């Protein structure tokens, strides 16, 4: 398994003989509106050219339709022939962008030896979560590979904890930038990321979705500092830089 963080929530995952592109945001720096008045978005560039990012990709995964997870440039530049996996109810919008093979994951889907399962996620709490709309998490399982649980744009809440417990993953990918909307966290912050790592001590947490959008409040340095103070080892809570690839050997966590 290889997992490359491109920027924010955009990931390139080599898993089970397949290459996934997850939640592509290819926006030009400072080309979209500010959420807080601090900066236009995205605040940082992609670490490599778009043509290099899409090279070798077999499957596109779109967790939801917010621009920082599937923007207009990604809609234009990702090959339209790629199969697309999304959550129920968003197939038509993606098909209208020109993608010919769009499938929603209701419960689970098999791609050769890989089994993807959709799991609950909540993009905030209360009225803010309703305004943000539906999101999803996914787990990845394949023979010889570590089990991967990708939380998606979610706060840490009981159904997510229960789903992780039931899955028993080796790797958990969190969105840990502490993004705020109307004063409410809409993804995990420092406290929730540390709670996640402490709740599942046998898994490695990989924290993403930081330092690219102006409504995110958590820096990599702050999360590292807090983890060190809580005694969470840097190998158990990994915080990749944009463009960094993490290599997880087959069944390394077993």
């Amino acid at each position: 398994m290889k997992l490359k963080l491109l920027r924010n929530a955009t990931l390139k995952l080599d898993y089970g003989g397949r290459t996934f592109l997850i939640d592509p945001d290819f926006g030009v720096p400072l080309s979209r509106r500010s959420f807080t008045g601090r900066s236009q978005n995205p605040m940082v560039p992609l670490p490599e050219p778009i043509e290099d990012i899409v090279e070798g990709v077999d499957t596109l995964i779109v967790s939801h339709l917010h621009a920082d997870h599937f923007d207009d440039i990604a809609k234009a530049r990702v090959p339209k022939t790629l199969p697309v996996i999304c959550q129920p109810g968003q197939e038509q919008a993606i098909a209208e962008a020109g993608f010919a093979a769009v499938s929603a994951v209701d419960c689970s889907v098999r791609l050769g030896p890989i089994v993807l399962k959709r799991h609950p996620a909540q993009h905030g709490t209360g009225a803010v979560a309703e305004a943000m709309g539906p999101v999803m998490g996914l787990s990845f399982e394949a023979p010889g590979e570590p089990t991967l649980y990708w939380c998606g744009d979610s706060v840490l809440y009981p159904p997510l904890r229960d789903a992780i417990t039931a899955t028993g993953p080796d790797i958990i990918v969190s969105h840990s930038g502490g993004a705020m909307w109307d004063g409410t966290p809409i993804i995990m912050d420092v406290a929730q990321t540390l709670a996640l790592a402490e709740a599942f001590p046998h898994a490695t947490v990989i924290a993403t979705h930081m330092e690219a959008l102006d409504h995110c409040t958590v820096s990599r340095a702050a999360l590292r500092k807090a983890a060190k103070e809580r005694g969470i080892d840097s190998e158990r809570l990994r915080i990749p830089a944009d463009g960094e690839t993490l290599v997880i050997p087959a069944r390394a966590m077993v």
Side-chain angles (χ1 to χ4, degrees):
M1 168 186 155
K2 293 182 181 178
L3 180 70
K4 176 182 278 191
L5 170 63
L6 278 307
R7 180 183 63 188
N8 199 48
T10 304
L11 304 173
K12 192 170 182 178
L13 172 67
D14 292 338
Y15 189 92
R18 204 173 189 98
T19 299
F20 297 89
L21 179 62
I22 300 174
D23 279 3
D25 172 10
F26 293 161
V28 176
L30 310 182
S31 63
R32 297 197 301 262
R33 69 183 179 91
S34 169
F35 297 123
T36 67
R38 181 161 66 100
S39 172
Q40 289 184 291
N41 292 298
M43 298 192 301
V44 296
L46 289 167
E48 59 188 70
I50 292 171
E51 54 266 29
D52 291 348
I53 295 172
V54 301
E55 183 178 2
V57 171
D58 302 306
T59 305
L60 173 64
I61 294 176
V62 176
S63 67
H64 62 299
L65 299 177
H66 291 171
D68 63 311
H69 295 261
F70 194 41
D71 76 318
D72 288 342
I73 297 177
K75 292 173 186 176
R77 296 289 300 274
V78 174
K80 300 298 190 295
T81 54
L82 286 181
V84 185
I85 292 172
C86 66
Q87 62 175 321
Q90 299 190 338
E91 305 97 317
Q92 182 175 347
I94 296 171
E96 288 173 354
F99 293 88
V102 184
S103 302
V105 181
D106 186 18
C107 181
S108 66
V109 63
R110 178 177 287 276
L111 301 172
I114 306 166
V115 176
L116 301 182
K117 297 178 182 178
R118 183 167 65 92
H119 297 290
Q122 184 174 292
H123 206 355
T125 55
V128 167
E130 293 183 18
M132 290 293 103
V135 291
M136 69 172 179
L138 284 174
S139 61
F140 297 71
E141 299 176 47
E145 292 280 21
T147 297
L148 169 67
Y149 190 106
W150 170 63
C151 297
D153 259 7
S154 184
V155 295
L156 184 62
Y157 76 127
L160 187 147
R161 286 178 179 264
D162 292 346
I164 295 174
T165 299
T167 302
D170 304 300
I171 309 292
I172 303 170
V173 177
S174 62
H175 290 182
S176 297
M180 303 290 288
W181 194 266
D182 286 343
T184 298
I186 56 175
I187 57 176
M188 296 184 207
D189 55 13
V190 168
Q192 290 196 349
T193 302
L194 299 185
L196 177 70
E198 290 174 338
F200 300 98
H202 299 297
T204 295
V205 175
I206 300 174
T208 66
H209 204 312
M210 286 179 283
E211 299 182 353
L213 302 173
D214 76 325
H215 66 327
C216 286
T217 61
V218 176
S219 70
R220 291 177 172 96
L223 183 56
R224 285 193 187 96
K225 180 175 183 292
K228 184 177 181 180
E229 291 172 350
R230 288 272 278 273
I232 298 173
D233 187 86
S234 61
E235 288 300 308
R236 278 221 312 110
L237 176 58
R238 304 189 70 174
I239 308 171
D242 291 349
E244 183 176 353
T245 298
L246 302 181
V247 179
I248 312 296
R251 305 308 297 170
M253 308 305 296
V254 176

